[in-house]
Amino acid sequence: GRGNLYNDSFPSVLAGILEEPFRQLGVELDVRNSAIANIGSFPYGWCLDSFLGADADVVSWDPEMTSRGHTLHAFEAYLRNAITMNQSPMLVLREYQYTQNRRDLIQKYVDVGAMIDPVVINMEAAFAPFKDLDESIVPLGFQDWIKFGGPDGAPGKTRSNLSLQQHDLIGNMLAIYFL
C-alpha cells in the first residue's frame, strides 16, 4: 500500500473482514502482502512461487503500475505462470479503461477453461459517477478519494498508487465476493 500504512493496504483490509467468518467455518486464513514496487510482470512473473509462496490460492497484481510499456506478451507470460502455480490460484487484477486488450486476453483464458473466476477491478470506473460531484454529497467511501494514509513525507503518494479509500474499497469488494 505505498503511501499508506501496511495495515491500510487492501490485503490487510480483506484479512480484517474475513478472519472471523473464516475462523467460525474452521478455515485458516493466511493473507500475505508481498507488495513489490516497480517490478514488472516480466520477468518477475516467472518467480511467483518465491514472491508469494507455492501454496497461494489467490494472487493479486497491478500490471499497469509495474509494467508500463510492457507488451501484451509479457502480461500473458505472467498469466500463464500464475495459473500454473501449485494451487492454480484465482487472479485479482487491477485494470484501466485503456487496457481492453488485457481484459480480452483474460476472457479468452476463461473461455477455454484455463482460468476460473478471475476478478478484474477498475477503480476509474468505480469512481467515475462521483468525480465531478461536490465532496459534500459524495458517498463516504468515495470522499477523499486520492488522500493517502501514510504520514507526511511517506514515499509512494503518487496517482499510480492506490489511496487509502481505494485500498479500503478493494478490500471490501473482495470480502463481499468471498463471503
Side-chain angles (χ1 to χ4, degrees):
R2 292 187 48 84
N4 298 293
L5 302 175
Y6 177 83
N7 60 338
D8 291 330
S9 66
F10 77 83
S12 295
V13 172
L14 178 64
I17 296 168
L18 295 182
E19 209 168 89
E20 182 57 22
F22 275 46
R23 187 194 64 73
Q24 290 179 13
L25 293 170
V27 176
E28 182 182 344
L29 179 65
D30 179 19
V31 176
R32 301 175 198 144
N33 185 349
S34 300
I36 306 164
N38 297 315
I39 304 271
S41 301
F42 184 81
Y44 294 95
W46 295 97
C47 306
L48 293 175
D49 285 355
S50 297
F51 285 126
L52 307 173
D55 61 342
D57 293 309
V58 179
V59 172
S60 171
W61 197 267
D62 183 344
E64 184 63 14
M65 186 177 97
T66 58
S67 300
R68 294 178 196 98
H70 281 199
T71 66
L72 188 60
H73 300 295
F75 178 67
E76 185 168 14
Y78 168 80
L79 283 181
R80 288 182 181 207
N81 281 286
I83 63 177
T84 58
M85 290 174 69
N86 290 348
Q87 305 289 92
S88 189
M90 174 189 160
L91 291 169
V92 176
L93 298 160
R94 181 176 163 208
E95 284 295 322
Y96 302 80
Q97 292 297 110
Y98 56 86
T99 53
Q100 184 65 44
N101 60 346
R102 285 200 297 246
R103 289 191 302 278
D104 292 343
L105 180 64
I106 291 166
Q107 187 62 54
K108 286 179 185 177
Y109 275 77
V110 169
D111 291 346
V112 299
M115 287 179 69
I116 299 172
D117 217 12
V119 173
V120 177
I121 297 171
N122 183 331
M123 297 305 292
E124 293 169 330
F127 183 66
F130 310 110
K131 70 178 184 176
D132 295 325
L133 297 178
D134 184 87
E135 185 84 3
S136 66
I137 62 170
V138 172
L140 288 177
F142 293 95
Q143 290 179 6
D144 296 320
W145 188 246
I146 57 172
K147 182 179 177 185
F148 289 87
D152 289 343
K157 294 181 179 184
T158 64
R159 293 189 66 76
S160 63
N161 292 327
L162 294 170
S163 71
L164 185 61
Q165 291 289 54
Q166 293 165 6
H167 274 285
D168 193 59
L169 179 63
I170 291 173
N172 278 279
M173 286 190 313
L174 290 173
I176 290 168
Y177 176 85
F178 286 115
L179 292 174

